[in-house]
Amino acid sequence: MILIDTSLWIAMYRDRSGALSARVQTISGASSPTFVRPVAMEILQGSVDEPEWNLICEYLADQKFTELTEQTWIAAARIYFELRRVGKTVR
C-alpha cells in the first residue's frame, strides 16, 4: 500500500513538468496510492475555486480509501517510533 501525504499531492499538482509524478510512479511501481480521509479533506480545502473543487471531488470519487481505526493510528505511531530509534525521521 502506498499512502501519499498532502504535501506530496500538492507538490505533484504544482509540478507542471510531471517529473515528480513520474518519480512517485517509479517508486510505487504497480501499487496504486490509497487515500485517508484527512488527506482528502486537506486537498479539498485547498481548492481555489468551484471548478477545481469539482475536479478534485471527481478524482477522489474514483480513488481507494483506507479507513483508519484505533489500531491503524497505533501501528502508524509504531512505525515512526521504530524509524526514530534507528536515526531516521519522517518529515
Side-chain angles (χ1 to χ4, degrees):
M1 170 175 50
I2 302 296
L3 177 62
I4 299 176
D5 187 53
T6 307
S7 58
L8 183 53
W9 282 113
I10 292 168
M12 287 190 302
Y13 178 73
R14 289 182 178 161
D15 176 26
R16 300 294 181 208
S17 72
L20 186 54
S21 292
R23 175 108 170 99
V24 169
Q25 285 179 337
T26 299
I27 291 169
S28 62
S31 297
S32 297
T34 186
F35 279 86
V36 290
R37 303 291 171 187
V39 169
M41 179 193 69
E42 289 173 344
I43 293 169
L44 279 168
Q45 67 85 27
S47 301
V48 296
D49 55 25
E50 195 69 29
E52 186 174 82
W53 172 277
N54 292 332
L55 182 67
I56 293 169
C57 277
E58 187 177 310
Y59 175 78
L60 291 172
D62 292 333
Q63 301 310 306
K64 180 174 68 173
F65 279 82
T66 297
E67 299 303 334
L68 303 178
T69 65
E70 181 179 348
Q71 290 305 314
T72 308
W73 291 105
I74 291 170
R78 186 66 189 196
I79 291 168
Y80 286 114
F81 173 75
E82 293 295 336
L83 287 171
R84 206 174 56 247
R85 289 180 65 196
V86 296
K88 298 182 187 231
T89 58
V90 179
R91 296 179 198 191

